[in-house]
Amino acid sequence: TTTSETYTQESRTISGYVRTSGGSGISGVTMSGDSCSATDSGGFYTCTVSYGWSGTITPSMSGYTFNPANRSYSNITSNQTNQDYTGSVITTIYVEPLGICGGNLPCYSLIQDGIDAAGDGTTINVAQGTYYENISVTPLTITSINFTLEGGWDSNFVSRTNDPSLTIIDGGGVDRVFNIVAGAEFDIQ
């Protein structure tokens, strides 16, 4: 007689909080990784991973940066608790055609990416140059927030000119260069 048995390893959890530096939970943070929940109203999250899992978990939410930026795991064989992150509201975003921004972070090469990352009260500093894109500010791309878009910065973001001919958005003759829908407010300078 031959007996066949199947052994399965139980799953493991990785959990913790995403909070501000003052200790308040940040709700709605997306946690990338295996079967992760978004943070609840208290900032708590949990990820269910298979026994022996290796990978990275990264928090993300428009308008925030996180410390640490992510956590890497290797061969998880026990539950991992207190895997906490601190979130900070982004107050200034930098956009430069090559995505270099003189070392300033966060840095994007497209204005649309800067807008998508903006939170309420964010200023988006745009370096001089030509940006080949069509920008959409709608409830589908951004919730109702207030932000400021400032062009004319030099590539290191040390000085700014008000000459509108130095920061150009070229939509390539396709659709609108700016598409702004009610519910999204911003100031262009």
Side-chain angles (χ1 to χ4, degrees), residues 93-149:
I93 291 174
Y94 302 91
V95 180
E96 193 269 338
L98 299 176
I100 298 170
C101 302
N104 294 294
L105 297 174
C107 175
Y108 299 95
S109 61
L110 296 174
I111 297 169
Q112 182 70 61
D113 291 343
I115 290 171
D116 291 345
D120 201 34
T122 300
T123 297
I124 303 170
N125 292 337
V126 181
Q128 300 166 14
T130 301
Y131 297 84
Y132 299 95
E133 59 183 306
N134 297 83
I135 297 169
S136 182
V137 183
T138 70
L140 297 176
T141 62
I142 197 163
T143 57
S144 182
I145 65 168
N146 295 303
F147 64 91
T148 301
L149 188 62

Side-chain angles (χ1 to χ4, degrees), residues 2 10 16 21 42 51 54 58 62 76 90 92 96 105-108 112 115 122 126 132-133 136 153 173 177 182 184:
T2 303
E10 294 180 18
S21 59
Y51 184 90
S54 295
T58 305
S62 182
I76 296 294
I90 298 172
T92 305
E96 193 269 338
L105 297 174
C107 175
Y108 299 95
Q112 182 70 61
I115 290 171
T122 300
V126 181
Y132 299 95
E133 59 183 306
S136 182
W153 286 93
V177 172

Side-chain angles (χ1 to χ4, degrees), residues 1-130:
T1 304
T2 303
T3 304
S4 175
E5 294 184 40
T6 303
Y7 294 94
T8 59
Q9 296 290 338
E10 294 180 18
S11 59
R12 299 292 185 247
T13 60
I14 300 171
S15 62
Y17 287 89
V18 181
R19 296 181 173 131
T20 64
S21 59
S24 299
I26 304 173
S27 174
V29 176
T30 301
M31 307 299 288
S32 70
D34 264 17
S35 301
C36 293
S37 66
T39 56
D40 65 16
S41 61
F44 182 77
Y45 75 93
T46 185
C47 300
T48 303
V49 299
S50 58
Y51 184 90
W53 181 79
S54 295
T56 302
I57 295 178
T58 305
S60 65
M61 184 173 186
S62 182
Y64 284 84
T65 59
F66 298 93
N67 187 20
N70 59 56
R71 292 182 186 273
S72 295
Y73 301 89
S74 179
N75 193 29
I76 296 294
T77 58
S78 62
N79 292 335
Q80 304 293 305
T81 59
N82 301 316
Q83 302 298 294
D84 300 338
Y85 296 85
T86 302
S88 301
V89 174
I90 298 172
T91 57
T92 305
I93 291 174
Y94 302 91
V95 180
E96 193 269 338
L98 299 176
I100 298 170
C101 302
N104 294 294
L105 297 174
C107 175
Y108 299 95
S109 61
L110 296 174
I111 297 169
Q112 182 70 61
D113 291 343
I115 290 171
D116 291 345
D120 201 34
T122 300
T123 297
I124 303 170
N125 292 337
V126 181
Q128 300 166 14
T130 301

Side-chain angles (χ1 to χ4, degrees), residues 124-129 131 149-168 188-189:
I124 303 170
N125 292 337
V126 181
Q128 300 166 14
Y131 297 84
L149 188 62
E150 293 184 347
W153 286 93
D154 67 23
S155 62
N156 291 314
F157 296 91
V158 174
S159 64
R160 181 173 176 252
T161 178
N162 286 326
D163 184 348
S165 69
L166 298 177
T167 305
I168 300 166
I188 300 175
Q189 295 183 22

